[in-house]
Amino acid sequence: MSKASDLARLMTSGSTAIHGEAGVTASGSTGLTTNLQQGLTKAWANFTTLTSFASNDTFNVSSVTDTSAGVSDGNFTNNMSNLNYSGSASAERPALYVAVMSSVINPATDHLTVGNAIGSTNAALDCDHVYFSINGDLA
């Protein structure tokens, strides 16, 4: 087979496992595998909430909404299959020289909410850049 046909076959198979560093040994056994379908980030966003709310770049996010000071909703283009996904968030506000706490709050299958606050006081904080990513199963 050609490399192009191998790639086409992998793309249409729906779920593909790749071999880890051990590869295939002389005896035919394989090392650990990673499933590409399950191992990919399902949604992510980079946006600002400081002076003017703006989405810089996203993947599988149809819109990001500024709901209140320090709180934003990311709406998924393709929903997650359940609430058992993993979400992480971070933010930055360099001019204040403060630690910013960011967290995913109130996750739902069609969106998530990101909250940002000053680490020492827990006061809501709009930020220069806010980021989130989601891992789990799509519906």
Side-chain angles (χ1 to χ4, degrees), residues 9-89:
R9 181 181 49 77
L10 286 174
M11 290 171 36
T12 59
S13 69
S15 182
T16 302
I18 60 170
H19 297 287
E21 293 176 0
V24 179
T25 65
S27 65
S29 64
T30 60
L32 297 176
T33 60
T34 298
N35 185 297
L36 291 182
Q37 200 74 8
Q38 294 175 349
L40 299 174
T41 296
K42 300 307 190 303
W44 59 264
N46 172 333
F47 55 99
T48 182
T49 61
L50 187 56
T51 55
S52 63
F53 188 84
S55 176
N56 299 319
D57 200 3
T58 65
F59 172 73
N60 193 28
V61 176
S62 59
S63 64
V64 181
T65 307
D66 189 11
T67 58
S68 64
V71 180
S72 306
D73 285 339
N75 302 297
F76 304 141
T77 304
N78 299 295
N79 291 350
M80 301 303 290
S81 64
N82 56 52
L83 297 180
N84 298 323
Y85 59 83
S86 169
S88 62

